[in-house]
Structures are given as structure tokens and as C-alpha cells.
Amino acid sequence: MTGKGGVRGGGGREFGWLWAAYGVSAFGTRLAFDAFALIAVLVLDAGPAEVSLLAASGPLAGAVLAVPLGPWVEFRRKRPVMIAADLVRCGVLLSIPLAYALGRLTLGQLLVVSVVVAAADITFNAAAGAFLKGLLTKEQLLVANGRLEATTWTTTMLGPPLGGAAIGWFGAVTTVVADAVSYLLSAGALSAIGGGEHKPVRPAARSRPRAGDLLDGWRYILGSAALRPLFLNTVLVNGLIMATSPLLIVLMVGPLGFAPWQYGLAFAVPCLGGLIGARLSPRLVARFGRHRVLRAAGALRACWPLGLVFVGPGTAGLVLVMVVEFGLITCVGVFNPVLATERLLRTPADRVARTLSAWSASGKATIAALTALWGLLGALLGARAAIGLAGCLLLGTALLLPRTGDGDTEDASPGDDVLRAPTP
């Protein structure tokens, strides 16, 4: 590593390039939002069951595939891992327009690409978190995570509408090409960081990988009194929120008669709340402390989705959805940077990649499982009732947040070996 660069005032050459890499790849991803589903429908004439299988199975299988990569990433230089993940994503995505041009594109290929991209996403994020922890001081982490969160919501607000327009003008695979190019640009930005990076050394007692290493991330999370409740809360909250998304599409575009552009507008405009929340996050932490902000923002973000039960047709219904989503996204914008910072500070440097990989894989698997389950509930109870059930369950997730803080502690010491390996 070339030394710890600052983020104050936008400084820090290394973080600047890392931020640029994140921004360009995030924009490409959002530009290609739902691209696989659209290609499956518009090009391959896939039905609802096939599209649902593609949406759920790809990320789930990718999460499983990424599990053994966490321990592998831990003891590798992180920047080459991130560059490799970018190049892998670029390569597999470019196989789609190539197969399309040759008339050989299949649903199976889309599924394989989805799996590889999901696994590469988890691997990249795990390496990036470890790289960021080594790059910045603890005081700079929250500001940096706030900027990354703001970038996420900016690209979420701009990407899908532009991607939809691009598909309408240039065809279904256009945004996939743009997404692939964004990963290539991200790899270039990461390469521009330059400098040296020390290769982590595997402890002598663990000179060889073992099957038990696959569980190291979960072992540390569940063994940490601070991280365990945050992990359970975030995985369940994100899963329940995402599980109702397909049902809300069905409800709004179907019985309530909203046009697709109105549905898109209802979720694009509230992303401004994410920008506001991300900007407020460091200021709130400076005033109230990390623990209080985590509890307050974490509890408030679970209160909003129940309001979607009352959505009706017309302008009033559209405004209701926008208000609910704005409140939800604002709370998420406050919560996420604090969570990301707390997670990095609570995790020793030699365990960050395994911990983040396990966390992300669990989140993706939970979203896939709950999406499938809520699809069945929607078919049995109706979309509105299933959305209401998820909203009620979300209210109870506040009980999973840490009840008491032990102060805004420094990062965990590598000697605090919660993650001890079992005796062979």
C-alpha cells in the first residue's frame, strides 16, 4: 500500500481512483438494470417462470460459488483481485452480444453469465472493503463510505431511465455492452492507483487452506456481539424489502393501471433521499455517535414499507409510493454508510475479506429465497396482502438491532481471535 490517503476535501489520490472505479461500474450496472430479464422476454420469448428462475437462481448460485473465494481473497493482494473481477465481468458480459449477433444466445447462457457476475460482484466487494480499510484511517472511513453510498443512489436514479431509453433506441443488448465497458474502465481506474501493496501473510498455523476456512466469515460474524445483530437485521430487512419488489410491479402495472414510465418515476425520484441521507450520515454520527444513528436509522427504515399496502390508482397512489420510497431510501442512505464503517472497524484487517464475503453471500441468498417465497404468498394471498405481511414483519426487525453500545470503539484487534480454527 502506498500509505493512507485522506478523503477530506476530496483529497487522496488512491481513494479518488477507487471512487472513480466504483462510480463508473455502478453506473454501468444501473444502466443495465433488469437487462437480463428484458433480453429473456424480448429476444428469447421467455415466460414468467423462466424470468423468475433467471432472477433468483443466478444470484443464489453466484453466492454459493463465491463462498470459497472469501478465504482465498483474504491472503491475496486486493487490488489485483479487484482488477481480475472487473475483467471477468467484462468478458462474460461481452459473450452475450457476441452470441446474440451469431444467433446463438440462450437462456442457459444468460443464467451462466448471471452466476459468474454475481460471484465476481461478491469477490470484488470483499476485496474492495479490505483495500479500503488498509487505505484510510478510521476517521476517514465514514466520509468515504458516505461518498460511495451517495454514488450508489446517484447511479440508481439516473441509470435505469437512461438504460430503458437506450434499449428502446438501440436494442436489448445495448446496456449489457455498456455494463461490460464500465467494468473495463473500472479496471483501468484501479490500475491507475499504482504503488505497492503488501501481500498478506497466512499465519503459520494455517499455512494450508482447509475446508473449515469456508466458514470463517460466518464464524467471526456470529461470534461478535456487535456484528451478529447487525448481520441478522440487515440480511432480513434487505430480503423482505426486495422480496416485495416483483409484487409491487404486478400490483402497480396490473390492477392499478400505472404505465411503466410512472413505475420508474416512482422509484427514480425518491433516490434523492439516498443522496440526502448519505450526506447527513457523517454529521449525525458526529453529533449522536455511531450506535445511536444505527439504531435510529435502522428502526426507521423498517417502518416505511408497510405504507405501500395503501397504494391506490391515479396521482394520489403515485405520490404515496414516492413518499414511502423517499422516506425509506433516506433512512437507508443514513444507515448504510454507518453500517459499512462499523463493520470495517469491528473486523480485524486479516479477516475483512472473509467477513464481507460471508455477509454478502448471505444477503444474496436470503433475497433469492424470500423473493421465491413471497412469489408463492402473492399467488395465494394476493399481491397487496403479501406486501402487507412483509411490512408487518419488517416492523419487528428493529428488535434485532444492537440494544446497547459499548461505545464507538476502535477496530478489533487481530489478537481477539473469535475466529479460532478447530483443532484438526
Side-chain angles (χ1 to χ4, degrees), residues 102-328:
L102 297 174
R104 306 293 295 272
L105 185 63
T106 64
L107 193 66
Q109 181 180 350
L110 289 179
L111 180 59
V112 169
V113 172
S114 177
V115 170
V116 174
V117 169
D121 285 345
I122 295 174
T123 302
F124 181 96
N125 291 335
F131 186 82
L132 190 67
K133 182 179 174 74
L135 184 66
L136 303 178
T137 65
K138 58 183 176 57
E139 293 82 6
Q140 297 165 337
L141 278 174
L142 181 58
V143 176
N145 282 318
R147 293 182 178 181
L148 296 176
E149 181 72 10
T151 302
T152 296
W153 291 112
T154 301
T155 57
T156 301
M157 180 170 54
L158 299 177
L162 292 176
I167 289 175
W169 291 335
F170 303 112
V173 300
T174 304
T175 56
V176 174
V177 175
D179 194 16
V181 172
S182 77
Y183 289 123
L184 190 62
L185 294 175
S186 173
L190 292 170
S191 299
I193 292 177
E197 182 184 352
H198 296 297
K199 182 178 180 179
V201 178
R202 186 183 292 271
R206 297 182 141 202
S207 58
R208 291 183 178 182
R210 295 192 297 261
D213 292 345
L214 300 180
L215 301 177
D216 278 352
W218 287 283
R219 191 177 294 128
Y220 181 72
I221 292 169
L222 297 177
S224 168
L227 292 183
R228 183 174 59 251
L230 288 172
F231 170 73
L232 296 174
N233 174 271
T234 53
V235 166
L236 186 56
V237 168
N238 293 341
L240 287 171
I241 290 174
M242 295 303 297
T244 59
S245 180
L247 300 178
L248 191 58
I249 294 175
V250 171
L251 181 63
M252 291 183 66
V253 179
L256 297 181
F258 288 101
W261 70 266
Q262 291 175 308
Y263 176 82
L265 183 68
F267 291 91
V269 173
C271 290
L272 288 170
L275 293 175
I276 296 171
R279 292 298 298 269
L280 285 176
S281 191
R283 301 177 189 180
L284 292 173
V285 168
R287 182 169 181 178
F288 300 107
R290 289 199 309 271
H291 177 73
R292 288 183 179 177
V293 174
L294 275 174
R295 276 193 58 81
L300 287 173
R301 84 194 198 284
C303 297
W304 292 94
L306 187 59
L308 295 174
V309 173
F310 305 103
V311 62
T315 303
L318 187 63
V319 170
L320 174 63
V321 173
M322 294 174 70
V323 168
V324 168
E325 291 297 324
F326 182 86
L328 169 64

Side-chain angles (χ1 to χ4, degrees), residues 59-127:
L60 179 59
V64 173
L65 182 62
V67 168
L69 295 176
W72 179 83
V73 170
E74 196 75 79
F75 302 104
R76 299 294 186 278
R77 292 183 178 90
K78 305 305 183 290
R79 190 160 61 93
V81 170
M82 290 188 286
I83 293 172
D86 275 337
L87 295 178
V88 167
R89 289 183 287 188
C90 176
V92 295
L93 286 170
L94 286 178
S95 73
I96 292 176
L98 178 61
Y100 174 74
L102 297 174
R104 306 293 295 272
L105 185 63
T106 64
L107 193 66
Q109 181 180 350
L110 289 179
L111 180 59
V112 169
V113 172
S114 177
V115 170
V116 174
V117 169
D121 285 345
I122 295 174
T123 302
F124 181 96
N125 291 335

Side-chain angles (χ1 to χ4, degrees), residues 368-424:
L370 290 181
T371 298
L373 175 60
W374 250 256
L376 293 175
L377 291 174
L380 294 173
L381 306 176
R384 195 181 296 272
I387 291 171
L389 177 60
C392 291
L393 292 175
L394 278 166
L395 294 177
T397 58
L399 298 175
L400 296 174
L401 290 166
R403 297 196 177 188
T404 58
D406 53 359
D408 290 344
T409 58
E410 310 298 325
D411 52 341
S413 167
D416 298 336
D417 198 0
V418 183
L419 210 157
R420 294 184 181 91
T423 304

